[in-house]
Amino acid sequence: MKIGIIVFPGSNCDRDVRWATEGCLGVTTSFLWHEATDLNGYDAIVIPGGFSYGDYLRCGAIARFAPVLNSLISFVNKGGKVLGICNGFQILTELGLLQGALTRNKNLHFICDKANLSIESTKSSWMKNYKKYDAISLPIAHGEGRFQCSSDVLKKLQDEDSVALRYKDNPNGSINDIAGITNKNGNVLGMMPHPERACDDALGNIDGKSILSTLLS
């Protein structure tokens, strides 16, 4: 079993994810440069946080054209599991694998804090270690984490039970308190909070460990 972590120029959470998956969970993990096209042999892919290509145009807007993401679409269509964290979530929405968009926080400030979250859906395997409405706490660190979508898309997300996580105190103004969503099939999860920063006992919080442990299930 093997996990791949996609690395763009500007990614800065790739090593954090690798420590969480390989160092804390013991799963073989390797980096995938953004120019890679071969995803054969990988069982799950993580797109980490950071500022891909500097995010100078719009978060994830340039990254969506990376060669590795063309291969990622095929990977997802074959049922492969993909987790996008923070900038990874933004990239997945730009790529069209997840609905909605991530925009500037309501107060236009970068937020680095802990977020109290509620597990909102257990339909996919990502949250199989939790019960619905379980409470967890994960770090957040973003300036453009405000999830936005039309009322039609919001209804569709709710009808499909695709809202995976909600903020309890909504720090960024996201519509309907949404912190993370899945695609219809449940094999793609995007979330603004950072589970990889809550996997090591030394950090005093392992609430993210249960989410990352499902990458290979």
Side-chain angles (χ1 to χ4, degrees):
M1 306 296 279
K2 187 176 180 182
I3 293 173
I5 302 171
I6 295 177
V7 182
F8 300 96
S11 295
N12 63 15
C13 297
D14 42 311
R15 287 168 178 77
D16 293 351
V17 173
R18 186 168 186 171
W19 171 248
T21 56
E22 198 163 63
C24 298
L25 296 171
V27 180
T28 301
T29 304
S30 63
F31 295 128
L32 284 161
W33 190 232
H34 63 121
E35 294 174 324
T37 57
D38 185 5
L39 300 184
N40 289 322
Y42 291 94
D43 299 286
I45 302 293
V46 179
I47 308 178
F51 303 91
S52 54
Y53 302 100
D55 281 343
Y56 292 115
L57 178 61
R58 188 178 64 245
C59 295
I62 301 175
R64 63 170 292 191
F65 297 105
V68 71
L69 295 187
N70 285 325
S71 302
L72 189 75
I73 292 172
S74 299
F75 183 82
V76 167
N77 290 338
K78 293 175 184 174
K81 294 189 77 170
V82 174
L83 170 62
I85 304 168
C86 198
N87 191 223
F89 185 12
Q90 296 160 342
I91 291 168
L92 289 173
T93 60
E94 289 287 341
L95 193 60
L97 288 176
L98 291 175
Q99 301 185 73
L102 285 308
T103 62
R104 295 289 301 275
N105 296 339
K106 64 180 179 181
N107 59 9
L108 305 183
H109 294 161
F110 189 94
I111 302 171
C112 185
D113 206 344
K114 292 179 181 177
N116 294 317
L117 303 156
S118 171
I119 305 297
E120 293 293 313
S121 172
T122 55
K123 79 162 188 178
S124 67
S125 61
W126 298 104
M127 303 298 167
K128 72 174 189 177
N129 295 321
Y130 296 106
K131 298 186 297 294
K132 194 166 184 176
Y133 305 132
D134 271 358
I136 63 172
S137 176
L138 294 176
I140 55 171
H142 57 250
E144 299 182 44
R146 186 180 189 179
F147 183 77
Q148 302 269 28
C149 65
S150 68
S151 56
D152 288 343
V153 169
L154 179 59
K155 183 178 185 306
K156 188 175 180 184
L157 289 172
Q158 292 173 325
D159 289 347
E160 294 175 352
D161 196 17
S162 292
V163 178
L165 292 161
R166 280 196 171 91
Y167 298 108
K168 287 193 168 184
D169 45 8
N170 200 348
N172 54 29
S174 290
I175 188 170
N176 211 236
D177 302 329
I178 290 174
I181 61 173
T182 64
N183 64 344
K184 183 178 180 179
N185 293 332
N187 59 324
V188 180
L189 169 65
M191 57 190 292
M192 289 310 297
H194 288 261
E196 79 279 13
R197 297 182 187 178
C199 283
D200 193 326
D201 287 321
L203 298 177
N205 179 5
I206 56 170
D207 283 359
K209 202 168 185 176
S210 290
I211 296 175
L212 293 183
S213 69
T214 65
L215 277 164
L216 299 181
S217 62

